């Protein structure tokens, strides 16, 4: 099977400061892979490079083996079937829940089709159905994360990029969010996730990459990474 | 009482035109993060496009209105393509100077090409008195008000209920996220500038018909007041901009009626300074830039 997403020798700099320095990653159809790393390791920059929101200085990002994403604008990349759950949700706070979901399906011009998909999302997330006419900025953190996940799903993506979906949420909500992530992946959608909640991330992901100062220093099946000495030292609170 | 009612009517009518121009400013600012100093001159260009159509093609009201819209829309689209788009992402001062340069060019070009003095406008509507001898409301005033209200209702519908309107609000709040969800920011910017310009062109024609003249420097008057309205209201809620524009029109009219027309602008700028001192983001708030 050929990879859905291939990142080769990716270099990104913010002015003169390198954020990603030669990262290589792969994601196969239907997989859930996670990128781990401390703050400033370059995880979110990789996500933004895939989305076309930052332009790499060098390297290749191939989607479905044929689309070179670094040459495309963000709206063109989304049309290929790549969606996003941004860090901190980044909902449109002055728009209603319903309008946020409509914007999630912006590329779909057929009103009937988009209404049907939103209907499916509201069935999947019943709490959002109750709050559909409420402005998104007034929701709790957990509800906002549901809107962010639903918004990413409305367009029917092949791949969802998730940037720290557990950030700023209560522990009980985090558990629910990871359950949802697993469910979404089980429905056949590939997921590339960046996460600082290493324990939970390694439970749901099949494969993990460990990023340090913009480079992938370890990668392998999640259970192997979970037992890796340096990962345990850095992220999981030492030996058990 | 008659004077109060008369000034109230006058104020609401001029306020509705301020509102149309101010919404144009606010629309462009929320999407492109640029104060389009050429917007008042697009208004003026629409007024003259209507005048030329009325003089050379037909003085039918709708013909004049359509040509005003087309003229202003064409200038707006040209500005977007050749000034605003190339300067996007550059220092904000560059875009300010760019739009200011276009404004000066349009203003002086029109003064040279047409006339630096007011030019008589085609009589597209019959002027008739609608209320009484004490309180005057002419048919042209009524039409000016109705045109403005229809434009404001139309833009409100567009922003709240249409796909591109939602995208406009999404870009205003989080442009990166909007782009990552499939919104072509260039396309929405183009549509926004075109919409703001067409609205300005239509409003300008109805002002031309109302006062019976077009003037190359008219943009400065309406533009300045509309800009004040946007700053006082903030650009987060378009309804707030409309409310402030109506109130400014009424306050100016009351000051003119009860004090002196010399103090009309003093009132407008006093309101602006007070609001900016106590609420720098405007009365109803602004999007982060």
């Amino acid at each position: 099977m050929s990879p859905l997403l291939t990142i080769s020798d990716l270099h990104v700099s913010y002015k003169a400061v390198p954020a990603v320095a030669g990262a290589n990653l792969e994601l196969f159809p239907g997989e859930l892979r996670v990128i781990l790393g401390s703050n400033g390791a370059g995880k979110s920059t990789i996500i933004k490079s895939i989305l076309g929101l930052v332009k790499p200085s060098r390297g290749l990002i191939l989607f479905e083996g044929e689309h070179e994403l670094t040459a495309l604008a963000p709206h063109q990349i989304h049309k290929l079937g790549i969606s996003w759950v941004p860090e901190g949700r980044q909902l449109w706070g002055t728009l209603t829940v319903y309008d946020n979901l409509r914007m999630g399906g912006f590329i779909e011009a057929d009103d009937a089709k988009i209404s049907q998909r939103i209907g499916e999302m509201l069935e999947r997330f019943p709490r959002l159905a109750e709050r559909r006419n409420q402005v998104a900025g007034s929701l709790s953190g957990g509800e906002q994360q549901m809107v962010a996940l639903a918004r990413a799903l409305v367009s029917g993506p092949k791949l969802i990029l998730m940037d720290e979906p557990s950030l700023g949420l209560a522990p009980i909500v985090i558990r629910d969010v990871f359950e949802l992530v697993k469910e979404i992946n089980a429905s056949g959608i590939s997921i590339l996730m960046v996460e600082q909640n290493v324990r939970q991330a390694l439970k749901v992901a099949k494969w993990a990459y460990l990023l340090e100062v913009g480079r992938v220093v370890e990668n392998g099946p999640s259970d192997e990474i979970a037992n890796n000495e340096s990962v345990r030292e850095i992220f999981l609170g030492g030996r058990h | 009482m008659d004077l109060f009612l008369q000034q109230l009517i006058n104020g609401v009518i001029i306020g509705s035109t301020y509102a149309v121009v101010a919404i144009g400013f606010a629309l462009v600012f929320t999407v492109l993060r640029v104060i389009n100093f050429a917007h008042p001159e697009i208004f003026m260009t629409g007024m003259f496009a209507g005048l030329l159509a009325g003089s050379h093609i037909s003085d039918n009201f709708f013909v004049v209105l359509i040509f005003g819209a087309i003229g202003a829309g064409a200038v707006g689209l040209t500005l977007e393509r050749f000034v605003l788009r190339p300067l996007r992402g550059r220092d904000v001062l560059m875009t300010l100077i760019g739009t200011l340069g276009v404004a000066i060019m349009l203003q002086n070009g029109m003064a040279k090409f047409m006339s630096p003095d007011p030019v008589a406008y085609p009589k597209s509507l019959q002027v008739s008195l609608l209320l009484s001898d004490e309180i005057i409301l002419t048919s042209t005033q009524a039409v000016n008000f109705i045109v403005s209200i229809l434009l404001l209702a139309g833009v409100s519908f567009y922003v709240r209920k249409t796909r591109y309107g939602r995208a406009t609000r999404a870009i205003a709040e989080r442009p990166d996220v909007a782009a990552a969800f499939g919104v072509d920011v260039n396309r929405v910017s183009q549509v926004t500038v075109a919409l703001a310009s067409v609205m300005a062109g239509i409003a300008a024609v109805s002002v031309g018909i109302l006062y019976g003249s077009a003037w190359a420097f008219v943009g400065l008057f309406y533009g300045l007041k509309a800009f004040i309205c946007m700053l006082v209201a903030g650009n987060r809620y378009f309804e707030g901009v409309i409310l402030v524009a109506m109130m400014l029109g009424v306050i100016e009219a009351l000051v003119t009626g009860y004090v002196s027309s010399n103090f009309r602008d003093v009132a407008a700028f006093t309101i602006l300074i007070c609001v900016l001192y106590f609420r720098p983001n405007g009365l109803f708030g602004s999007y982060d830039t």
Side-chain angles (χ1 to χ4, degrees):
Chain A
M1 190 168 28
S2 55
L4 181 71
L5 182 77
T6 311
I7 297 178
S8 319
D9 192 31
L10 187 74
H11 286 73
V12 187
S13 300
Y14 292 114
K15 301 217 166 143
V17 183
V20 179
N24 295 290
L25 288 105
E26 269 184 342
L27 177 80
F28 289 86
E31 272 190 338
L32 193 171
R33 291 192 173 196
V34 64
I35 307 174
L36 306 172
S38 49
N39 279 334
K43 309 181 298 293
S44 296
T45 304
I46 291 178
I47 297 287
K48 286 183 177 170
S49 304
I50 301 168
L51 291 164
L53 296 174
V54 295
K55 286 290 167 202
S57 50
R58 210 167 82 198
L60 209 65
I61 305 175
L62 267 186
F63 186 64
E64 296 180 315
E66 53 175 329
H67 305 289
E68 216 307 56
L69 301 188
T70 57
L72 300 177
H75 69 276
Q76 294 168 320
I77 293 172
H78 181 71
K79 280 180 188 161
L80 296 174
I82 300 179
S83 200
W84 184 32
V85 178
E87 181 182 352
R89 279 81 72 185
Q90 298 194 33
L91 300 179
W92 292 289
T94 59
L95 269 63
T96 62
V97 168
Y98 182 77
D99 281 346
N100 267 275
L101 299 183
R102 289 289 303 227
M103 282 306 300
F106 180 79
I107 52 168
E108 181 57 70
D110 184 343
D111 247 18
K113 204 179 265 183
I114 205 69
S115 296
Q116 187 201 330
R117 283 192 195 154
I118 290 174
E120 287 165 14
M121 288 306 125
L122 295 179
E123 257 177 48
R124 191 171 195 169
F125 303 98
R127 211 180 308 169
L128 299 187
E130 294 163 21
R131 308 228 186 300
R132 57 179 282 163
N133 294 320
Q134 206 169 315
V135 289
S138 67
L139 302 179
S140 70
E143 288 166 344
Q144 287 194 7
Q145 192 57 271
M146 281 183 205
V147 179
L149 287 166
R151 178 178 68 175
L153 287 165
V154 172
S155 61
K158 297 170 189 165
L159 167 65
I160 300 183
L161 306 169
M162 293 190 182
D163 198 347
E164 308 220 18
S166 72
L167 188 75
L169 298 179
I172 190 159
V173 182
I174 291 176
R175 208 180 49 204
D176 291 346
V177 166
F178 278 102
E179 278 306 312
L180 281 169
V181 170
K182 255 166 53 179
E183 261 180 48
I184 292 167
N185 182 235
S187 71
I189 298 170
S190 310
I191 296 174
L192 180 63
M193 182 165 64
V194 157
E195 186 51 65
Q196 293 223 31
N197 189 330
V198 176
R199 214 178 282 275
Q200 289 283 2
L202 289 174
K203 273 188 203 164
V204 295
K206 183 181 172 190
W207 194 275
Y209 293 93
L210 180 61
L211 206 66
E212 265 179 32
V213 283
R215 265 174 204 283
V216 175
V217 290
E218 297 277 355
N219 83 92
S222 293
D223 46 356
E224 276 180 27
I225 291 287
N227 292 319
N228 180 298
E229 281 301 316
S230 56
V231 172
R232 292 177 74 91
E233 284 290 330
I234 299 166
F235 295 110
L236 299 175
R239 289 164 190 271
H240 293 282
Chain B
M1 191 61 186
D2 284 351
L3 177 64
F4 178 79
L5 283 176
Q6 181 64 66
Q7 292 309 97
L8 193 66
I9 290 169
N10 293 346
V12 167
I13 288 166
I14 196 162
S16 65
T17 305
Y18 289 166
V20 174
V21 184
I23 287 291
F25 262 128
L27 269 173
V28 173
F29 184 74
T30 50
V31 174
L32 286 91
R33 300 290 200 271
V34 159
I35 296 165
N36 179 12
F37 280 125
H39 188 64
E41 306 317 322
I42 291 173
F43 173 88
M44 178 274 292
T45 315
M47 188 179 270
F48 275 95
L51 182 142
L52 289 172
S55 311
H56 298 288
I57 300 170
S58 160
D59 65 357
N60 177 283
F61 175 67
F62 293 102
V63 172
V64 175
L65 215 60
I66 288 167
F67 274 88
I70 292 172
V75 175
L77 282 174
T78 310
L79 175 86
E80 193 279 331
R81 182 63 191 85
F82 295 105
V83 179
L84 299 178
R85 198 183 300 181
L87 291 177
R88 185 174 307 146
R90 304 274 187 91
D91 191 319
V92 69
L93 275 177
M94 289 179 75
T95 334
L96 285 183
I97 297 296
T99 58
L100 197 59
V102 172
I104 293 168
M105 206 171 74
L106 287 171
Q107 203 178 64
N108 288 288
M110 197 60 83
K112 179 84 180 155
F113 178 65
M114 295 297 292
S115 165
D117 301 315
V119 182
Y121 219 75
K123 300 227 175 304
S124 297
L125 291 173
Q126 292 299 317
V127 179
S128 55
L129 216 57
L130 289 181
L131 286 182
S132 66
D133 288 342
E134 285 75 32
I135 301 168
I136 297 166
L137 175 66
T138 64
S139 56
T140 48
Q141 278 182 310
V143 167
N144 179 254
F145 180 68
I146 290 166
V147 165
S148 298
I149 293 301
L150 287 176
L151 288 172
L152 295 171
V155 81
S156 185
F157 178 82
Y158 167 79
V159 164
R160 303 257 162 232
K161 300 288 177 196
T162 68
R163 186 165 164 256
Y164 266 64
R166 263 189 291 270
T168 303
R169 290 159 64 208
I171 292 175
E173 204 175 329
R174 296 187 186 279
D176 275 8
V177 182
F181 278 90
V183 178
D184 181 348
V185 178
N186 276 340
R187 183 97 185 105
V188 175
S189 302
Q190 207 172 33
V191 170
T192 304
V193 173
L195 177 70
S197 304
V198 164
M199 281 174 60
I202 294 173
V205 166
S206 77
V207 167
I209 292 170
L210 172 63
Y211 294 108
S213 65
W215 189 36
F217 300 97
V218 70
L220 196 63
F221 173 78
Y222 283 95
L224 195 61
K225 296 299 165 57
F227 189 49
I228 290 174
C229 296
M230 190 189 81
L231 291 179
V232 169
N235 65 345
R236 186 171 277 251
Y237 297 102
F238 292 149
E239 290 81 357
V241 178
I242 295 169
L243 183 70
V244 166
M246 294 290 194
M247 283 172 62
L248 182 68
V250 170
I251 290 168
E252 279 188 356
L254 291 176
V255 169
T256 303
Y258 286 101
V259 187
S260 159
S261 59
N262 293 333
F263 283 94
R264 190 181 57 185
D265 292 350
V266 174
F269 281 101
T270 306
I271 293 167
L272 173 69
I273 290 164
C274 290
V275 169
L276 291 187
Y277 184 79
F278 292 106
R279 291 185 69 92
N281 284 327
L283 291 174
F284 304 99
S286 293
Y287 289 114
D288 294 336
T289 46

